[in-house]
Amino acid sequence: MSYTASSNRYEQMEYRRCGNSGLMLPAVSLGLWHNFGDIDSMDKARDILRTAFDHGITHFDLANNYGPPPGSAEKNFGQLFKADFLPYRDELIISTKAGWKMWEGPYGDWGSRKYLVASLDQSLKRMGLDYVDIYYHHRPDPHTPLEETMSTLDLIVRQGKALYVGISSYQPAEAAKAIAILRELGTPCLIHQPKYSMFERWVENGLLDVLGREGVGCIPFSPLAQGMLTNKYLKGVPTDSRAASHRGNGAMEEDQVTPEKLDKVKRLNVLAEQRGQSLAQMALAWVLKDPRITSVLIGASKPEQVTDSLQCIKNYQFSSEELALIEGILR
């Protein structure tokens, strides 16, 4: 059945300027890290993407190694894009990344010019795209000069294979250096993608200050701690949860669902209910409250999770008392 996007999709979303750029991103973006690989249902993946776009999510985030197996998320997205979203290409922000191991040998990992150029060529082919909107270096490379990695991102923009570039999981000092190199080259760093949630707060130790000062956007991944900050684990580990699926590729495992974390989740859930939100909505709102945050990346295994998460934009204001309660729980 052919797809026609909802006519009121832009009325349901808040859009935020990405740093000092001209680009606006939806406050909530969709990540395809999990649930879009060959082990997953294509019908369900299609429903998730359609639901997201129908509700104003214009940004789909991928990486070369997303799956499993690696590459399959891009391949499957490419098929769904061609079937459903090709007419809407100019309304979409599609991003991908390279930086983790993708193929055997010395040229399939890290941040060399050889790897980054070859990987993007493969990604474009899998997705059936002429260009991506954002291309990220997925993680810092301690072996390759930062100048080589950043000059490759600059080259890729000049070749027309990406409109913007970003970095992911860079610590404050190395992020500042990367941003400075890209600015000097004439291809500003658009955005940084760090891991950030109530349970993962390293970005507060300088990174957000760097991004705010330099006018670079921020789009945290795993803002729900891979589902821990939802109502899914309030009674333990469900058999259909990510923690029980043993997906690999960085997915949460059962031993990470500790009694201590479950206790915090239950207490946070009480506060969320008092705010009239689900735990997921409150956790996303807690990240979005910072004006330096451009968007939050959610994952979803079913369309209903997308629509539930989107309610977070209705209230991301917190009183000082609520913030103090949250800090007390997380301590």
Side-chain angles (χ1 to χ4, degrees), residues 254-292:
E254 286 177 89
D255 60 4
Q256 295 174 258
V257 187
T258 63
E260 180 187 10
K261 274 194 174 175
L262 286 177
D263 177 65
K264 291 179 179 180
V265 166
K266 290 173 183 177
R267 293 162 65 192
L268 288 168
N269 186 61
V270 171
L271 179 56
E273 289 176 345
Q274 292 171 354
R275 284 173 50 85
Q277 293 178 313
S278 69
L279 176 54
Q281 291 163 9
M282 185 180 78
L284 294 171
W286 182 87
V287 175
L288 282 170
K289 74 184 186 306
D290 192 313
R292 295 167 295 188

Side-chain angles (χ1 to χ4, degrees), residues 149-195:
T149 303
M150 294 303 110
S151 67
T152 303
L153 296 182
D154 171 67
L155 170 69
I156 283 166
V157 170
R158 295 181 188 279
Q159 289 177 331
K161 296 176 182 177
L163 301 185
Y164 301 92
V165 294
I167 54 179
S168 178
S169 300
Y170 276 56
Q171 294 292 322
E174 57 195 0
K177 187 177 179 183
I179 291 165
I181 293 170
L182 284 169
R183 180 177 291 126
E184 187 173 341
L185 290 168
T187 299
C189 180
L190 175 78
I191 196 165
H192 187 300
Q193 187 176 133
K195 191 175 188 179

Side-chain angles (χ1 to χ4, degrees), residues 280-316:
Q281 291 163 9
M282 185 180 78
L284 294 171
W286 182 87
V287 175
L288 282 170
K289 74 184 186 306
D290 192 313
R292 295 167 295 188
I293 301 296
T294 310
S295 179
V296 287
L297 269 173
I298 63 166
S301 59
K302 57 188 72 171
E304 296 78 19
Q305 292 173 346
V306 175
T307 52
D308 178 76
S309 294
L310 285 171
Q311 299 305 307
C312 71
I313 63 177
K314 293 184 176 179
N315 180 19
Y316 49 81

Side-chain angles (χ1 to χ4, degrees), residues 13-52:
M13 177 58 68
E14 172 188 337
Y15 297 89
R16 296 181 169 195
R17 188 163 302 281
C18 191
N20 289 341
S21 78
L23 188 68
M24 307 283 281
L25 291 181
V28 178
S29 299
L30 181 67
L32 280 66
W33 182 11
H34 299 291
N35 306 309
F36 290 83
D38 283 349
I39 68 171
D40 301 297
S41 163
M42 281 286 279
D43 288 340
K44 192 171 288 186
R46 176 183 288 109
D47 289 344
I48 292 169
L49 288 171
R50 288 180 173 184
T51 299

Side-chain angles (χ1 to χ4, degrees), residues 116-136:
L116 293 180
V117 170
S119 180
L120 181 54
D121 285 346
Q122 293 176 18
S123 291
L124 292 174
K125 191 175 295 184
R126 281 191 291 267
M127 292 188 285
L129 300 176
D130 296 323
Y131 69 93
V132 291
D133 297 277
I134 307 170
Y135 189 49
Y136 289 90

Side-chain angles (χ1 to χ4, degrees), residues 220-240:
F221 71 92
S222 291
L224 299 179
Q226 296 198 55
M228 274 292 293
L229 289 166
T230 70
N231 60 10
K232 184 175 290 185
Y233 295 96
L234 291 175
K235 297 180 180 179
V237 181
T239 56
D240 64 344

